[in-house]
Amino acid sequence: SPEQSTTAEAAHLGLDPAAHGLLGAAVDLAGGRSGKLFTGRLSGRAQPWLAEQPDLDHRTPVPASVFVELGLHVGDVLDCAALETLTIHAPLLLDEGRAAHLQVVTAPTAAGDGRHTFSVHARPEGLDAPWTLHAEGLVGHGTISEAPPAQAWPPAGAEEAEAGEAHELALQDVTALWRHEGDVHAELMPTLDGEFDTSGFLLHPLLWEWAAQLARYAADSEEVAQRAVMSWSGVRVYAEGADVLRVSVRRTDKDVFALHLADHSGRTVATVDAITLGEAVPEQPRPGGGEALYRVDWTPAALPEATSPIRWGSLGGQRPADLATLDPTAVDAVLVPVGPADGLSGGEPGDVSGGVPGGVL
């Protein structure tokens, strides 16, 4: 099986299998340094659900919620059940047909309180490009005891949104939408072309992403297209493997929203204390060598406009020296024999320019 193959390859290379849908291996840092290094690979072939993202000039944006899932996984490995903070620094874009390598590096905090920092870097596969820092955060023990109780669904007093509103908001996987006193409540059901495989994830990155997108639309801003999730805090997962979600979004401050995620039975799957919106991070330039910066394109050539026919003249039996007697306004060009010919003499072979009016032959 692919999992057995990954395990065998990791062990053969002196690494531990990472047992995650996005990470392939992990290793403890040597040289007395505390922390772990996780590695992985992202590609449209290995993660076909990335095809659900919009194409941006032949580049596929990786949902920023991938960093949430990565932070939660390394926290789980380190016995830290809560993603306390996560800050997004730069979007991760996959060039068409090219994969990206991932590195997640963790380290215990200086306070020695059981918390760990982590950072997520990536670079294009096959290019001698620098690693880009995309996100960094902090995982800790948090204050998890029991999952919050199930909520009534839909919430009392909520009004169902008009038909088609979810589609107008570009949320094609929202099957129902309600609003109540500024809060947004929605049912999410993936409609991917292929099988929606949740194995290897605490919560599939697309579910995280769609839940985060609801926070953007709950902002009710005219500039929603320019708004992006800049940070997450207080993220806790209570149940793994959900493939259908009920999401409630509540505004707690300007551009700050809390999320409650439940499964189809109302059981709490995850909670998020705060998602903070801000100006969308500019796209990063294409990294690596020139092959990513240049491509062949065709530019139409402008043909010259048609002109009147050329007026040709002939020497006839005249000598080249007699060209000076021709009227330069009567012809545009004159045919001149090159070299000695019958009826023509004088001058060196091919030397005819000296008697041409205005230097025109």
Side-chain angles (χ1 to χ4, degrees), residues 67 85-89 118-120 133-138:
F67 308 134
T85 61
L86 173 72
T87 302
I88 312 297
H89 292 296
F118 71 92
S119 61
V120 182
L133 174 63
H134 292 281
E136 58 186 343
L138 178 70

Side-chain angles (χ1 to χ4, degrees), residues 8-21:
E9 291 173 2
H12 181 71
L13 296 174
L15 305 171
D16 298 322
H20 187 264

Side-chain angles (χ1 to χ4, degrees), residues 42-69:
L42 278 173
S43 75
R45 177 170 297 183
Q47 289 85 28
W49 45 269
L50 288 173
E52 295 296 304
Q53 303 306 299
D55 181 88
L56 299 176
D57 189 24
H58 304 286
R59 307 174 86 186
T60 300
V62 175
S65 54
V66 160
F67 308 134
V68 177
E69 175 64 17

